[in-house]
RNA sequence: GCCGGAGUGGUGAAAUUGGUAGACGCACGGGACUCAAAAUCCCGCGGGGCUUAAACCCCGUGUCGGUUCGAAUCCGACCUCCGGCACCA
């Protein structure tokens, strides 16, 4: 052991050792309890950043701790390797996306290895490998068979900058999740996955995931957006047809005085055809369609519309209702048609006021009655029904139920549930992704690629112009093919799949990453899945984490996996902040982990991330904090260096000698620390676990051993040093291994069981009792642990200071919290 | 607008969930070692009052109330910041 701590020497040494001994290779072993720990895999952008560093440091503590606890741990790592930055690099600098991606992977793998993370690299997966994405194509075919994947022409979100379609989940506040451009609408033929079939189940199971943060579950519930209400059919005037609407306020149906249609609603143009309104309607629809999502749905966009030239009838009253096209009605939600009740819906109120449409109050509030003439805004709360025929006098909540029944009985509609969530659009008009395995034949229509023809390999030689349109469409060798049904000339689908499809099942693939008999080796997946602990950023709360839950359900139906919830526990870690903002290249406030490792070593970088704040909170970067962490490791190093010679020689059983008070206190501190660190790791309080170890180290510095080495002292002190080393090892594994070796231990520290604390040793002999008078701390007294309540009261009342405080007061009661506190209440 | 979360020293944070507020670290101040510096080690460090000093007292967890013997923690109202959803019928 060197006198000085040189991280660069020891870190490389132990990384080599772990790799040579294959210490992190996971093997299925039914006799051992498995623990599947997973951190969200990175996109190979070129370099590991602080966010990764933090995420993976957190994960590594848990992995190593569980290994020492005797679990059979699976801790894999891979690459979310398809995606646009690779393609953009190709457009900008001419490097092929594959070359760019694989080189980045090499760099980042090297960086991760330099951090000493306990990954099973044998299981590494890159999603751009054909061996990976061919199974994704296989899933797609199976989903087509079951109608879970389908193609439809629809309005989709289009990012003009990325030149591709985005899923609803990828539009954040009207902006592209990746480049923050304003998203527009476009009508395109697209492939969708039927996540809506699972909306109810996904929602229901939000209540059955106790290991997930409430915040994430709430976001998912919100996103699924379940509304219960009714469908009501409004007959068209002079026609047999009717317009169905969805409403959650069927109790207000008697107050519906007009109808609003989405501009994209097929009836909008159809009804206006041949009327004097036709031109105006057409113009309006065209104008609305051209708007961006923000322009269309922003909160300050004014409500406007146009009469389509036709009317429908209120099914309850028979009253004639003019039909409008209105910009605020969305085609994607409900039926794209809304019954307008201006008195009890604010949007309808504003619209009615603008176009001079009639108001009928049908809900009266309990206090001050409403009148159509004086209302200045809609009344949207509950009340009693009026102007509602047979339902007059009924409470609005009860009326919702009664009216649903009436609708059903009279064939006018019925109960209906609606979800905000839409099917997942997965077509991307980009090159660097998994090709959608579909062939178009002019004679036979849409033909799935036969399973035996998989994979549909992404061609290598294509041109990257950045001009828009998928490069695959320009690649004749790829596009031109034969129809699997008739054998005639046919064309391949040139869109690729959303990269979130890859990440929806990579955790399953880690269980059998090289399996070739199918996507998953059932036996192995059943052994490892579900993921016991998943760790990653909150930004995936509704993207990846919802898609993965959907995929798990589908895979379960295919009989490929056993569980429909893939992640038992989830930890969402906070961002890394510097100078008040998230670290990012554009802000210029990044700290490169590579630099940190070069200057201080991986262990310092790791322990800083873990110590500075609890994992779920944002981490404020501090250069001095890093220095402090490095200082602490040096302190530990010196402590062991100065003592390792004699500790190595101390035989475990050499001293049955009785130990004195100071030693007993030290030993108690050791075992209390063992207890606390274990408990803190279990509940992910790494910062307090580390501070507890620091306290122990401080106590060992305070403890001055006698000159010629009392055997009992050597025993206790030696035990303490070993405990410090063991407890530190999940956090700072390299230095721990080196110190462990210096202490004369043969086996790698990762193979050493986590220490148990001695229950006897932590028993308190004396306990500090706080004495309060009327809730204010006035004195403290140390009493024997076993002292009875009554006796403690006596001791407290006898205290000089307490007597002085109480001399002219009458004691009313005394509250005793055993071993902790006594509160004397007096007048 | 709706739904969450969070506000604690100069600073990052503790307080295992109603029982000593500020552990541990950083910064800062003082001391030891040194010719000197760095490194290291030791001591101090919420604010105020009183004091040579100690002892002691008061205030203090965003603000104002409440519950309780006792509140950073529970309840109500408000303020500020952050996040999610949002013309969803």
């Amino acid at each position: 052991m060197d006198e000085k701590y040189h991280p660069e020497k020891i870190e490389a040494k132990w990384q080599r050792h772990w790799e040579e001994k294959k210490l992190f290779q996971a093997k299925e072993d039914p006799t051992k309890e498995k623990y599947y720990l997973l951190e969200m895999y990175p996109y190979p952008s070129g370099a590991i950043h602080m966010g990764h560093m933090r995420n993976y440091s957190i994960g590594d503590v848990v992995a190593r701790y569980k290994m020492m606890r005797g679990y059979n741990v699976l801790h894999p790592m891979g690459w979310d390797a398809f995606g646009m930055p690779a393609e953009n690099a190709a457009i900008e600098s001419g490097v092929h996306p594959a070359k760019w991606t694989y080189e980045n992977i090499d760099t980042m793998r090297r960086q991760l290895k330099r951090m000493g993370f306990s990954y099973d690299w044998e299981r590494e997966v890159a999603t751009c490998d054909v061996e990976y994405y061919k199974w994704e194509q296989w899933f797609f075919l199976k989903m087509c068979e079951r109608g879970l994947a389908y193609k439809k022409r629809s309005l989709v979100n289009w990012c003009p900058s990325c030149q591709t379609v985005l899923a609803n989940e990828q539009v954040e506040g009207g902006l592209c999740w990746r480049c923050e451009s304003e998203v527009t609408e476009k009508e395109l033929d697209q492939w969708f996955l039927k996540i809506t079939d699972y909306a109810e189940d996904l929602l229901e199971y939000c209540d059955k995931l106790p290991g997930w943060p409430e915040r994430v579950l709430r976001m998912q519930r919100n996103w699924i957006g379940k509304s219960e209400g009714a469908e009501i059919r409004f007959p068209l005037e002079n026609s047999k047809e009717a317009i169905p609407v969805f409403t959650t306020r069927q109790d207000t149906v008697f107050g519906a005085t007009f109808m609003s249609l989405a501009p994209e609603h097929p009836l909008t143009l159809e009804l206006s055809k041949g009327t004097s309104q036709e031109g105006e309607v057409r113009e309006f629809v065209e104008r609305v369609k051209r708007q961006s999502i923000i322009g269309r749905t922003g909160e300050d966009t004014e409500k406007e519309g146009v009469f389509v030239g036709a009317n429908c009838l209120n099914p309850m009253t028979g009253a004639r209702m003019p039909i409008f096209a209105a910009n605020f009605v969305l085609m994607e939600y409900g039926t794209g048609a809304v019954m307008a009740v201006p008195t009890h819906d604010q949007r309808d109120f504003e619209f009615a006021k603008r176009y001079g449409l009639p108001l009928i109050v049908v809900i009266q509030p309990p206090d001050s009655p409403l009148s159509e003439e004086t209302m200045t805004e809609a009344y949207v709360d509950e009340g009693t029904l009026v102007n509602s025929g047979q339902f007059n006098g009924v409470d609005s909540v009860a009326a919702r139920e009664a009216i649903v029944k009436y609708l059903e009985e009279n064939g006018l509609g019925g109960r209906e549930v609606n979800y905000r969530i839409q099917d997942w659009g997965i077509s991307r008009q980009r090159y660097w992704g998994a090709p959608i395995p579909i062939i178009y034949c002019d004679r036979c229509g849409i033909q799935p690629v036969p399973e035996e023809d998989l994979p549909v390999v992404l061609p290598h030689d294509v041109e990257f112009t950045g001009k828009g349109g998928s490069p695959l469409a320009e690649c004749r060798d790829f596009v031109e093919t034969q129809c699997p049904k008739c054998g005639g000339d046919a064309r391949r689908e040139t869109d690729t799949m959303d990269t979130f499809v890859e990440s929806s099942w990579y955790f399953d693939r880690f269980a059998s990453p090289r399996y070739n008999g199918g996507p998953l080796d059932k036996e192995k997946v059943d052994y490892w899945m579900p993921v016991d602990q998943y760790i990653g950023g909150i930004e995936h709360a509704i993207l990846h984490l919802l898609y993965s839950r959907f995929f798990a359900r589908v895979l379960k139906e295919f009989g490929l996996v056993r569980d429909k919830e893939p992640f038992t526990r989830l930890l969402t870690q906070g961002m890394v902040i510097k100078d008040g903002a998230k670290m990012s290249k554009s802000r210029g406030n990044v700290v490169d982990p590579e630099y940190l490792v070069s200057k201080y070593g991986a262990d310092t970088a790791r322990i800083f991330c873990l110590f500075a704040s609890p994992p779920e909170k944002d981490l404020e970067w501090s250069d001095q904090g890093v220095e402090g962490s490095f200082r602490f490791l040096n302190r530990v190093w010196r402590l062991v260096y100065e003592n390792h010679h004699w500790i190595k020689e101390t035989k475990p059983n050499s001293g049955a000698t009785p130990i004195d008070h100071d030693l007993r206190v030290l030993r108690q501190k050791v075992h209390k620390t063992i207890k606390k660190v274990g408990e803190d790791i279990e509940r992910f309080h790494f910062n307090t676990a580390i501070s507890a170890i620091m306290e122990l180290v401080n106590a060992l510095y305070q403890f001055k051993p006698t000159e010629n080495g009392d055997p009992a002292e050597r025993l206790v002190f030696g035990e303490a040093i070993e405990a410090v080393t063991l407890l530190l090892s999940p956090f700072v594994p390299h230095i721990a291994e080196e110190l462990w070796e210096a202490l004369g231990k043969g086996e790698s520290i990762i193979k050493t069981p986590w220490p148990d604390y001695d229950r006897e040793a932590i028993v308190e002999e004396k306990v500090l009792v706080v004495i309060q008078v009327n809730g204010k701390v006035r004195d403290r007294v140390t009493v024997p642990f076993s002292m009875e309540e009554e006796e403690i009261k006596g001791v407290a009342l006898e205290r000089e200071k307490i007597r002085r405080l109480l001399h002219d007061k009458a004691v009313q009661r005394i509250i005793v919290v055993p071993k902790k506190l006594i509160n004397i209440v007096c007048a």
Side-chain angles (χ1 to χ4, degrees), chain A residues 711-723:
Chain A
E713 187 180 281
R714 291 196 149 194
L715 210 63
V716 171
F717 204 81
E719 182 192 38
I721 300 265
E722 283 181 17

Side-chain angles (χ1 to χ4, degrees), chain A residues 194-209 212 217 220-221 224-226 417 419 421 545-546 548-557 562-566:
Chain A
K194 241 179 165 186
I195 193 170
T196 52
D197 271 10
Y198 299 84
E200 185 61 39
D201 197 59
L202 288 165
L203 181 67
E204 189 188 326
Y205 273 75
C206 282
D207 295 332
K208 296 173 185 170
L209 288 169
W212 282 44
L217 295 172
Q220 293 212 351
R221 285 191 196 104
I224 294 167
K226 182 180 183 175
V417 175
Y419 300 90
I421 191 172
L545 289 168
L546 190 59
S548 296
R549 295 183 62 216
F550 157 62
F551 239 73
R553 281 163 171 73
V554 174
L555 264 48
K556 183 180 160 67
E557 283 176 17
R562 188 188 48 216
D563 306 293
K564 63 176 167 184
E565 287 297 341

Side-chain angles (χ1 to χ4, degrees), chain A residues 340-537:
Chain A
V341 184
T343 42
H344 303 294
D345 181 285
Q346 187 57 27
R347 293 157 302 184
D348 297 341
F349 183 84
E350 287 167 31
F351 196 88
K353 282 289 168 191
R354 179 165 176 167
Y355 295 103
L357 295 160
L359 277 63
I360 305 171
V361 169
V362 291
I363 307 279
Q364 280 297 359
D367 34 23
S368 52
L370 299 169
S371 88
E372 287 85 356
E373 289 73 35
T374 58
M375 288 178 86
T376 54
E377 58 178 5
Y379 176 78
V380 297
D381 295 326
E382 306 298 342
T384 307
L385 267 64
V386 294
N387 295 325
S388 296
Q390 63 194 103
F391 299 101
N392 280 339
V394 179
D395 170 74
S396 54
V397 177
R400 289 207 269 277
E401 200 53 35
I403 288 176
V404 159
K405 261 197 199 127
Y406 180 87
L407 292 169
E408 275 168 1
E409 283 160 9
N410 295 277
L412 301 169
R415 196 176 303 280
E416 180 79 11
V417 175
N418 243 285
Y419 300 90
R420 212 191 69 100
I421 191 172
Q422 306 285 311
D423 278 337
W424 176 15
I426 57 152
S427 297
R428 294 294 176 271
Q429 293 66 44
R430 301 295 301 224
Y431 163 74
W432 192 234
I436 295 173
I438 288 291
I439 291 168
Y440 300 105
C441 171
D442 287 336
R443 286 163 296 270
C444 313
I446 299 176
Q447 294 297 317
V449 171
E451 199 180 315
E452 58 275 17
D453 291 352
L454 290 184
V456 176
V457 178
L458 186 66
H460 188 271
D461 295 321
V462 296
E463 240 189 292
F464 303 100
T465 61
K467 294 269 162 58
S470 171
L472 286 183
E474 307 302 316
C475 181
R476 288 183 59 183
D477 286 350
F478 177 79
V479 175
E480 290 174 4
T481 187
Q482 279 74 49
C483 171
K485 197 168 177 187
C486 70
D489 285 350
R491 301 172 313 281
R492 281 192 194 280
E493 167 69 62
T494 58
D495 283 353
T496 53
M497 285 192 246
D498 184 1
T499 59
F500 280 95
V501 180
E502 281 98 67
S503 54
S504 293
W505 68 285
Y506 77 106
F507 39 88
D508 292 310
R509 184 69 181 170
F510 277 139
S512 52
R514 312 282 171 255
Y515 185 62
N516 220 3
L520 305 168
D521 181 337
K522 183 79 167 56
E523 203 177 321
K524 292 189 169 162
V525 177
D526 282 351
Y527 178 77
W528 291 113
M529 284 297 288
V531 173
D532 294 276
Q533 180 68 55
Y534 198 28
I535 307 173

